[in-house]
Amino acid sequence: MNILITNDDGIHAGGLFMLKKALEPLGRVTVIAPDRQRSASGHSITLHKPLRVERVKLPDGDFGYATNGTPSDCVSLGVLDIVEGGVDLVVAGINKGPNLGWDLTYSGTVCAAMEGVVVGAQAFAVSVNNFENEIGFDAAADFSAFIAEVLVRNKLPESVLLNINVPGLPAEEITGIEVTRQGKRHYAGKLEKRTDPMGRTYYWLGGDGPLDRLEDGTDVKAIAEGRVSVTPIHLDLTGYSALDIVKSWGIESFKISR
């Protein structure tokens, strides 16, 4: 099996290397990651400047590839050029910090897995609810290897990836595993306006801690209660429940003319 791994924390992130070591018994692992921190880059791709790739020595002496592009670019580069023989599985992570609820639309890690689905591979993203250290990363690496083995035997439905979040806890304190739906998480907006030494205005975007709606069956509640969350994510963003509502507004009867 050809496995491509990437992240949005950069080529030197510890979680990326732990993921590599966990997946190596399952097949040929190719590491392609941004050359710097690219968190919250979403599903952006690079169209207006050249993409450059260089070989980088990893902690175990193997080589990976670093690029000036985004996490989604990493997947495209791997599939279209770097990985010979095609990519069977794209794994994005292990991300430092969770990707829960509405975080998914911002996350470069999750969107790299989305790009894996776009190019026809099986894919999942894995994150740990820990920004401070690497507690929980061993459990995330072990569980990633298990999920990769599961996906050898079981094909995900078309246009579906898995978004996995692991509590930032020692393995013995994790209370279980739950297949969940995407919950609701948002951040209170915060904008800090400053002036630089030349008198020009600039801004820092930020926010307070996340606000979670802890509903049963959701990823945010599973993590809050110490369980691993496994959420199937579908790339079809159509609001099916709203189709008939929008049609009832009569907008299809509008006559377009010059």
Side-chain angles (χ1 to χ4, degrees):
M1 179 166 61
N2 275 338
I3 305 170
L4 187 160
I5 67 171
T6 190
N7 67 359
D8 69 5
D9 290 331
I11 188 71
H12 298 296
L16 183 71
F17 184 67
M18 294 174 72
L19 183 63
K20 172 184 180 291
K21 301 307 290 182
L23 296 178
E24 279 179 331
L26 305 179
R28 184 163 68 101
V29 178
T30 302
V31 179
I32 310 172
D35 60 8
R36 68 201 73 184
Q37 173 67 249
R38 296 302 298 262
S39 293
S41 57
H43 206 162
S44 60
I45 58 174
T46 302
L47 298 176
H48 303 296
K49 66 178 181 181
L51 288 173
R52 303 190 185 278
V53 178
E54 63 175 317
R55 293 180 79 214
V56 174
K57 196 169 187 178
L58 300 173
D60 60 356
D62 287 344
F63 284 90
Y65 298 89
T67 176
N68 61 329
T70 67
S72 294
D73 288 331
C74 293
V75 176
S76 295
L77 289 165
V79 170
L80 297 175
D81 184 65
I82 294 172
V83 180
E84 296 180 1
V87 173
D88 302 301
L89 177 66
V90 172
V91 186
I94 300 169
N95 192 70
K96 197 167 193 176
N99 282 301
L100 299 164
W102 292 335
D103 287 350
L104 271 60
T105 58
Y106 302 111
S107 169
T109 295
V110 175
C111 289
M114 289 182 181
E115 188 65 18
V117 172
V118 169
V119 299
Q122 301 256 75
F124 67 91
V126 57
S127 307
V128 176
N129 186 31
N130 191 343
F131 290 102
E132 304 301 324
N133 51 50
E134 292 188 348
I135 294 175
F137 279 68
D138 286 335
D142 290 344
F143 190 65
S144 295
F146 168 71
I147 291 294
E149 289 186 275
V150 168
L151 293 181
V152 171
R153 304 187 302 271
N154 303 276
K155 188 170 178 60
L156 285 164
E158 184 178 0
S159 303
V160 172
L161 64 131
L162 297 179
N163 182 43
I164 297 168
N165 284 276
V166 177
L169 299 170
E172 63 273 14
E173 295 181 21
I174 294 174
T175 58
I177 299 163
E178 183 179 357
V179 176
T180 60
R181 70 181 190 277
Q182 184 181 0
K184 295 179 175 65
R185 156 174 282 197
H186 73 279
Y187 300 83
K190 184 177 180 182
L191 180 69
E192 191 167 320
K193 185 176 180 180
R194 299 181 183 179
T195 303
D196 70 15
M198 303 298 291
R200 296 170 299 192
T201 300
Y202 68 99
Y203 301 89
W204 275 109
L205 284 174
D208 297 323
L211 303 173
D212 293 335
R213 195 177 301 177
L214 298 179
E215 299 172 335
D216 288 343
T218 61
D219 53 3
V220 291
K221 187 168 185 182
I223 285 295
E225 295 180 348
R227 296 187 296 279
V228 175
S229 168
V230 180
T231 308
I233 300 295
H234 200 294
L235 294 193
D236 182 354
L237 301 182
T238 304
Y240 287 99
S241 62
L243 280 174
D244 289 339
I245 294 172
V246 175
K247 286 181 179 181
S248 74
W249 297 343
I251 59 178
E252 293 175 325
S253 63
F254 179 76
K255 303 300 182 184
I256 296 175
S257 61
R258 292 190 177 183

